[in-house]
Amino acid sequence: MLGNVKDKVAVITGAASGIGKHMAERFAESGAHVVIADLNLEQANVVAEELTAKFGVSALGVQMDVTSEEQVNAGIDAAFTKFGKIDVLVSNAGIQTIAPIVEFEFAAWKRLIDIHLHGTFLTAKAAMKKMIEQGTGGSVIVTGSIHSVEASKNKSAYVAAKHAQLGFVRAIAKEGAPHNIRANLIGPGFVRTPLVDKQIPEQAKTLGISEEDVVKKIMLGETVDGEFTTLDDVANAALFLAGLETNVLTGQSMLLTHGWHMQ
Ligand code: NAD
């Protein structure tokens, strides 16, 4: 059942920073060829060059705004042209916006849903077409969140989008199975990345509490041990799912939350 990712081709969106970047590093370290797809092309190219130099694998940076069908298709085409296949898609690009529902700007709501939900749809659609064309199928992994199964205050758009991603993963599992395509969601609790570091002062301001209390009570308050999920925890889960050779796990959510959610 367990395989590995050596010589597999993995497209990772939002891989110029945070969780996606760390996943790309761990995939490259394990012998996979990686496509760093990000809004920020300059940084994507820096990461791709670093990985090639460090691990001797082929890495490609591509400009991809996941909300643009044109850029998504162009990026997936560029990856397919370079490597001749796409074995793994990690739909990971994301943002966060903190505001109570009654003050949530509609434009900000739409932007967040666009990136997380429509971006996951567009990248999965393009990658699945290639996985079907190449005849070998593949693995779609979506970086969801604890918020794919739980709600928090002041994150309504994020909670809605992350729940929707889980529904979409289940739909891919059904439609992908005849083509040997599996799909699963990884749901981290809080991981220290730029996305989270930005939230700490914002949450403190919105909730009128100290930054220390945001970390202790809001971010880690529901965990069993008060611990952050680490970048390695998330990358290891992605590597495990990417290496699976069968559909034994498909349509599943793997929650990496230190017991915040138990299923
Ligand atoms: P991050 O801000 O460090 O990185 C996000 C990356 O996505 C950046 O490189 C950014 O340029 C890119 N990006 C943003 N909008 C994009 C777009 N439209 N098209 C392409 N790329 C775009 O964030 P992170 O913490 O690494 O988050 C990555 C994913 O993990 C997100 O989906 C997030 O919701 C999820 N997540 C994060 C945490 C956490 O605690 N950090 C927890 C659970 C889930």
Side-chain angles (χ1 to χ4, degrees):
M1 176 176 114
L2 273 181
N4 62 47
V5 299
K6 188 161 171 19
D7 294 326
K8 291 200 173 179
V9 176
V11 178
I12 306 175
T13 70
S17 169
I19 288 174
K21 183 179 174 197
H22 193 73
M23 280 182 188
E25 282 168 9
R26 293 294 316 281
F27 272 68
E29 185 186 38
S30 308
H33 305 295
V34 285
V35 180
I36 315 296
D38 205 282
L39 201 55
N40 185 339
L41 177 63
E42 203 182 316
Q43 190 53 30
N45 283 333
V46 169
V47 173
E49 277 167 29
E50 275 174 13
L51 297 183
T52 304
K54 201 164 165 194
F55 301 113
V57 294
S58 291
L60 175 71
V62 295
Q63 165 85 56
M64 188 186 287
D65 178 346
V66 295
T67 67
S68 157
E69 186 166 18
E70 206 184 329
Q71 284 191 26
V72 168
N73 290 343
I76 295 290
D77 279 346
F80 195 73
T81 301
K82 181 168 171 73
F83 296 109
K85 60 174 188 165
I86 294 173
D87 300 299
V88 180
L89 167 73
V90 187
S91 170
N92 169 81
I95 60 166
Q96 179 61 279
T97 304
I98 307 282
I101 294 169
V102 291
E103 288 167 23
F104 218 109
E105 297 287 344
F106 190 30
W109 170 279
K110 283 194 278 197
R111 180 73 185 146
L112 193 146
I113 301 284
D114 217 12
I115 293 172
H116 289 268
L117 183 55
H118 303 156
T120 297
F121 161 68
L122 288 173
T123 48
K125 180 181 171 185
M128 285 172 75
K129 279 186 175 176
K130 302 298 185 198
M131 289 170 180
I132 293 168
E133 187 185 327
Q134 73 206 18
T136 51
S139 178
V140 177
I141 299 165
V142 175
T143 310
S145 163
I146 176 67
H147 291 105
S148 297
V149 292
E150 296 278 353
S152 291
K153 288 179 186 167
N154 302 315
K155 293 187 174 179
S156 54
Y158 189 82
V159 169
K162 289 298 189 192
H163 273 65
Q165 281 182 330
L166 180 52
F168 183 57
V169 157
R170 291 173 174 155
I172 300 174
K174 294 262 179 184
E175 291 190 27
H179 307 286
N180 204 27
I181 296 171
R182 61 209 67 126
N184 292 287
L185 178 139
I186 295 172
F190 282 98
V191 185
R192 286 308 286 259
T193 67
L195 180 135
V196 162
D197 287 339
K198 182 173 158 277
Q199 276 176 60
I200 296 171
E202 285 175 4
Q203 289 259 39
K205 199 170 156 215
T206 310
L207 298 169
I209 59 176
S210 70
E211 293 190 13
E212 197 188 346
D213 276 352
V214 169
V215 172
K216 230 165 123 182
K217 296 185 179 155
I218 306 295
M219 295 186 162
L220 305 177
E222 298 291 328
T223 65
V224 295
D225 55 7
E227 295 283 340
F228 276 102
T229 299
T230 66
L231 288 168
D232 253 354
D233 292 331
V234 187
N236 285 338
L239 278 169
F240 169 74
L241 290 171
L244 279 182
E245 302 286 357
T246 74
N247 292 332
V248 65
L249 284 180
T250 192
Q252 304 300 313
S253 50
M254 193 186 274
L255 300 170
L256 310 169
T257 65
H258 284 262
W260 179 348
H261 182 89
M262 300 188 190
Q263 54 182 2

